[in-house]
Amino acid sequence: MYTLTCDHLSYAVGVKEILTNVTFSVNQGAKVGVIGVNGAGKTTLLSLLRGALEPTEGNVFVQRGAEIGCLQQHTEGELLTATVYETALEAFSELLNMEERLNDLQKRVEQGDESAIGPFTELNERFIKEGGNEFRAKTLAILKRFGFSDQAVKESASLLSGGQKTKLLLAKLLLREPDIILLDEPTNHLDIKAIEWLEGFVRNSKKTFLIVSHDRYFLDSVTTDTMEIEHGTCRMFSGGYSAFQEKKKHEREAQLRHYEQQQKEIKRIEEFIALQRRWNRERNIIAAESRQKALARMVKIDRPQDAPKGVSFRIADSRSGSEQVLSVRELSKHYPGTKLFDSLSFELRRGNRLFVIGANGTGKSTLLKILTGRETADSGVFELGYNQSIGYYDQEQQLLDPENTVLDELWSVYADKKMAEVRGMLASFGFRGEDVFKPVSVLSGGERARLSIAKMISCGVSLLVLDEPTNHLDIASRETLEDALRQYNGTVLAVSHDRYFLRALATDILELDPSHPGGSLLFKGDYAHFLEKQAANAEAGKAALQPVDDPSAGAGKQSYEDAKRQKNRLRAAKARFEAVEKEIEKTEGMLSGIREEQQREVGTSDYALLNRLYEEADALEEKLSALYMEYETLDEELQSAAEVIDGQKRDS
C-alpha cells in the first residue's frame, strides 16, 4: 500500500527550476534514502512533502489519516522555552492531557464523588494501554541515548547549541512516531554510538521514513530504497546506497553503449543516403528516400547526462621531513568538573592515518586544538618532527573571514598567484562563474567546508589535522576527499564519526572514552580491526562481571546479611540480563525471518497471509520494545552494582 505519492511535482523560484516533473510512490513502512549533490533540491522536496512549500505544478498525496513529522537540517530558528525534558515530553501531548484529566478525576473520587469512578476507571485503562506508565521513562532513556546527562535534561532548551537543539528535536520526533518521518541530515551532530542506536530504531520501526543523508554507512544500514535527485528530477532504485551505486554505474554504461551503437548506425545510414543521392539515378533516389524515412521513424536514444559538476582535486605532496611526524607524551586536559583525558601518549609516523573517535564531549576536538596550538594542555608535551608543517581543518570553520569574498579568501593564502590561477583552483572545488564573488558570510555549510579544504590542502603540508571534514559535504565530495587522502603521501590525524570514511582510510584508531584508563585507548590497525577488538573486549568485560566472592566485603559499612542480599540481587540481575539478551537475539531473528517472508509475498494475492505476517511482526516489535527497556534498566543496575563493589574493594 502506498502511503505517499508525488504526481508530476515541480517547483521553481522565478525562472530557476529546482524540481521538474517529480513522480514517485513510497510503500508503507519503506525506508527511503534521498541522495544528490548539494543544491540538487533534496531539502526543497522534503518541504514540499510536509506542506511548507507550495509546488509550482503537480500534487502530493498522503494516505488518509497519516501524519507527517520532519526533522529539519537547520534548527537555529526554533524557539524552545521549556527544559530539555519538558520539550521532549511534548511528543506525548495526548498522554499528558489524559494524565491531567486523570488527576482531576482522582481528586473528585477522593472527595467522594462516585460519578467520577466510572470515567476514571475507563480513562485509566486507556492511559495504561497507550503507554501512560512508560512514556516518561522512555523519554529519559532516549534523551540519554542522544547524550543528554541527568543534569542537562533539567536545563532550559533555549541554552542549547545548534547541534544539541537538533538532537533534542530528533529525540522528540522519534518519541512522537508520526506515520511518515522525514529526516534531513539526522546524523550530522551525532556520535557513532548514537548513530548506531538510531540505525536500530529506524530498522525496527514500522513507520515510513524518507531520509536525506550523505552518510553512506548509515544509508546502507537502514534504507530499503534509494531516491536520487539529479538535474531537477528523481529516480527510485531498490536497495541501499551501495546497491544504487552499482546499479547506476551499470545502467549508465549500458545506456552510453546503446547510444554510441545507435549513433554509428545513424552515421552509416546517413552516409548510405548521401552516396545514393550522389549517383542520382531513379533507383538510387528511391533507396535514399526509403532510408531517410526509416531514419525519421527511428526512436532516438538520448546520450546519458553527465553527473552534476562536483569537486575534483588532489592534495599537494607534503614537504620533505623526518619520518617521525608527531610525538605526544603524557598529555592531560581537564575542565572544572570534567576530566577529558590523562597521560595520553602516541606517536605518528609518515603515512599514518590516525582517526580519533568517541562520544560527544570526550575531548576529540579539544585534543586537535591542543596539538595545533589553539588550546593549552594541563600537563604533558607534544613535539613535531624535523621540518614538519600542519594544515588544520576546523569543523566550526572559524578560520574563514566572513567579510571576504570566496576569491579573496583563497587569494589570501596564495598572494603570489594570478587571478586566473586562483579561479582555476576554486573551480576544482565547485566554485565557478559568479560563485567566486559570493561573500563568505552567505555560503552554505557545504560551500564553507569546500573553501576551508581548498585553503588547507594546496600548500604542501606534511600533517593534516582534520576535525569532522565530511560534515556538510555531499557524497560525491566525500568520495573525492577520500581518494585525495589515499593518494596523499603525508600524515593524517582526524576526528570523524563517518564510518564509511573511517573504514576507507584509517590505519589506526584512538578511542576517547572515560571508561578507559586515562580516558583513552589506542588500537593499532584499521576500523574493521578496531570493531573486532572492541567486540572481543566487550565479551571479556562481560565475563569479568562477577559477584564479590567475599560476602563480608565492606563489613565496616554494612552487615554480612546486607552484603549477602546485595550479592544475590546482583546474581539474579546478571542472570536476567543474560536471559533478556538471548531473548532479544531470538526475537530479532524471528522478526527478520517474518520480514523476509513479507518481501517474498509482496505482490501476491494472498492477503490473508500478508495480514497474518504483519500482525506477527507488530507483536514481535512490541515485545522487542519491552525487552529493550528491560535490557537498559538491567544494564544500569549492573553498572551501578559494579561501582558499589569497586568502592567496597577500595575501602577494604
Side-chain angles (χ1 to χ4, degrees), residues 38-54:
N38 286 338
K42 304 183 296 295
T43 298
T44 299
L45 176 62
L46 295 196
S47 296
L48 290 166
L49 296 181
R50 65 189 179 90
L53 291 177
E54 284 292 326

Side-chain angles (χ1 to χ4, degrees), residues 297-523:
R297 289 194 301 270
M298 184 183 292
V299 178
K300 304 297 191 296
I301 298 172
D302 292 331
R303 180 184 178 85
Q305 286 184 286
D306 293 329
K309 285 186 177 180
V311 299
S312 176
F313 61 86
R314 67 186 302 272
I315 301 174
D317 290 344
S318 64
R319 299 167 182 170
S320 58
S322 60
E323 285 294 311
Q324 186 69 33
V325 175
L326 176 67
S327 177
V328 177
R329 297 191 296 277
E330 303 294 320
L331 211 62
S332 297
K333 183 66 178 179
H334 299 190
Y335 289 117
T338 304
K339 179 177 72 174
L340 295 180
F341 44 81
D342 271 324
S343 304
L344 174 60
S345 300
F346 62 87
E347 305 283 332
L348 279 181
R349 300 183 66 80
R350 186 181 181 90
N352 287 161
R353 294 194 292 265
L354 175 64
F355 277 70
V356 185
I357 66 172
N360 291 336
T362 53
K364 303 185 298 297
S365 295
T366 300
L367 173 62
L368 299 196
K369 288 176 180 177
I370 290 172
L371 298 178
T372 55
R374 288 160 176 82
E375 285 199 24
T376 57
D378 296 335
S379 60
V381 296
F382 63 92
E383 295 175 342
L384 286 172
Y386 170 72
N387 200 27
Q388 303 294 333
S389 56
I390 295 179
Y392 175 57
Y393 175 89
D394 172 23
Q395 69 162 318
E396 297 167 357
Q397 296 159 352
Q398 294 179 350
L399 304 181
L400 299 176
D401 185 346
E403 301 300 320
N404 275 343
T405 65
V406 171
L407 179 62
D408 291 336
E409 188 67 18
L410 189 59
W411 217 345
S412 68
V413 293
Y414 297 108
D416 59 328
K417 294 189 180 293
K418 297 178 181 178
M419 179 186 286
E421 293 177 288
V422 178
R423 291 198 65 165
M425 293 170 62
L426 285 170
S428 68
F429 283 89
F431 296 100
R432 300 177 179 88
E434 295 301 308
D435 287 346
V436 304
F437 301 113
K438 282 184 179 178
V440 169
S441 59
V442 304
L443 297 182
S444 67
E447 289 170 327
R448 285 172 171 263
R450 285 187 273 122
L451 183 56
S452 296
I453 294 172
K455 285 183 65 177
M456 175 190 67
I457 69 171
S458 303
C459 302
V461 296
S462 58
L463 172 61
L464 291 174
V465 179
L466 312 174
D467 193 357
E468 298 288 6
T470 60
N471 268 10
H472 307 296
L473 293 181
D474 57 36
I475 290 176
S477 299
R478 292 182 185 208
E479 291 173 345
T480 300
L481 180 59
E482 282 171 14
D483 290 340
L485 288 172
R486 273 197 207 94
Q487 296 169 30
Y488 173 57
N489 66 352
T491 305
V492 177
L493 174 62
V495 166
S496 182
H497 66 249
D498 184 336
R499 290 161 296 167
Y500 213 99
F501 193 64
L502 279 162
R503 188 174 62 182
L505 294 169
T507 61
D508 303 284
I509 304 288
L510 175 65
E511 184 179 37
L512 300 186
D513 187 328
S515 67
H516 296 320
S520 67
L521 191 60
L522 182 65
F523 291 81

Side-chain angles (χ1 to χ4, degrees), residues 118-137:
F120 174 82
T121 303
E122 183 180 341
L123 185 59
N124 191 52
E125 288 177 357
R126 181 182 160 204
F127 181 72
I128 293 170
K129 183 178 180 180
E130 294 183 12
N133 290 342
E134 297 90 26
F135 76 98
R136 293 180 182 275

Side-chain angles (χ1 to χ4, degrees), residues 261-311:
Q261 288 172 349
Q262 189 182 64
Q263 289 300 305
K264 287 179 182 177
E265 178 65 9
I266 290 172
K267 184 179 179 182
R268 186 188 67 78
I269 294 173
E270 287 174 341
E271 288 174 348
F272 175 84
I273 292 170
L275 181 63
Q276 296 298 317
R277 283 179 173 162
R278 276 202 306 272
W279 288 342
N280 201 27
R281 297 171 187 161
E282 184 178 353
R283 59 192 177 90
N284 299 124
I285 292 172
I286 293 172
E289 289 176 349
S290 174
R291 292 295 196 280
Q292 189 70 54
K293 289 177 182 177
L295 195 59
R297 289 194 301 270
M298 184 183 292
V299 178
K300 304 297 191 296
I301 298 172
D302 292 331
R303 180 184 178 85
Q305 286 184 286
D306 293 329
K309 285 186 177 180
V311 299

